[in-house]
Amino acid sequence: MDPANHTEALRTALLDLAAEHFTGPGYHSTTLAQIAEAAHCDTAELLALYPDKVSLAAGLHQRWAEQTAVQVTALDASTVAVRFHRIMWDRLDLLTPYRPMMAAIFSAALQPDAVVRVHTAGGYASLKIAFHELVAGASDAPRNQLVTHMGTVLTGFYLVLLLFWLYDRSSQQRAARGLVN
C-alpha cells in the first residue's frame, strides 16, 4: 500500500475506533494509547495525524460535518425552516452519545491560543457548505446573494445551538431541543 493510502486508511481506522471508544469507555476515560493499540499502530503514528485527543475528536466531528453536507443533498425541497429542523434533530441525535467529546472540542476551540482551531477549521468549512446547500435547495430559497448570507447565519445558529445544548442541564437537553422546534 502506498504511503498516502496507508495514511488515509489509518486515519479512517483511528476515527472509527475513536467513535467506538468515546461512547464505550467514554471520552474522558479513553487514552490515545488505547486507540493506537486498537488500531495496531504506534502512538507516534497516531500523534503525527492527531497531536492530542481533542484534535482526534475534532477529526471525528469533521467527518460528521462532511456527512451533513451529503445528508442535506438528500433532503426534500421543503422550506428552509423544515430542512434546518430536520438537520438539527439529526445532528443532536448523532451527537448525544458524544456530548463530553463535543464539550472538550468547544472548550479547546474557545481558548485564545487554541491549536485545535486548525483541526476544527475543516469541520466548520464543511458545515458552512452544508448550510449554504440547505438554503439553496429549499422551496423558499432567497435570491442568490442572500443564499450565502443565510447559509452563514444558519451555520452560526447551529454552533450557538450546540453550545446551548452542551450547557443545557435539563433532562435529555429538552430546553435545547425545544429551541430547535
Side-chain angles (χ1 to χ4, degrees), residues 133-158:
E133 291 299 317
L134 184 146
V135 174
S139 60
D140 60 348
R143 286 182 296 238
N144 289 343
Q145 185 179 12
L146 294 178
V147 167
T148 302
H149 297 305
M150 194 169 188
T152 301
V153 167
L154 288 180
T155 304
F157 191 50
Y158 168 82

Side-chain angles (χ1 to χ4, degrees), residues 27-40:
Y27 177 77
H28 295 295
S29 298
T30 300
T31 66
L32 291 179
Q34 290 169 324
I35 293 173
E37 181 181 338
H40 306 292

Side-chain angles (χ1 to χ4, degrees), residues 80-99:
V80 170
V82 168
R83 290 162 62 90
F84 184 76
H85 181 266
R86 177 77 260 146
I87 290 295
M88 279 308 303
W89 272 98
D90 288 350
R91 295 296 90 191
L92 291 178
D93 288 344
L94 169 75
L95 295 175
T96 293
Y98 300 96
R99 212 160 158 250

Side-chain angles (χ1 to χ4, degrees), residues 158-179:
Y158 168 82
L159 294 171
V160 168
L161 278 171
L162 278 186
L163 190 57
F164 183 79
W165 172 75
L166 289 170
Y167 281 97
D168 186 359
R169 301 298 180 240
S170 64
S171 175
Q172 298 177 338
Q173 295 72 50
R174 272 193 324 270
R177 288 179 180 272
L179 284 176

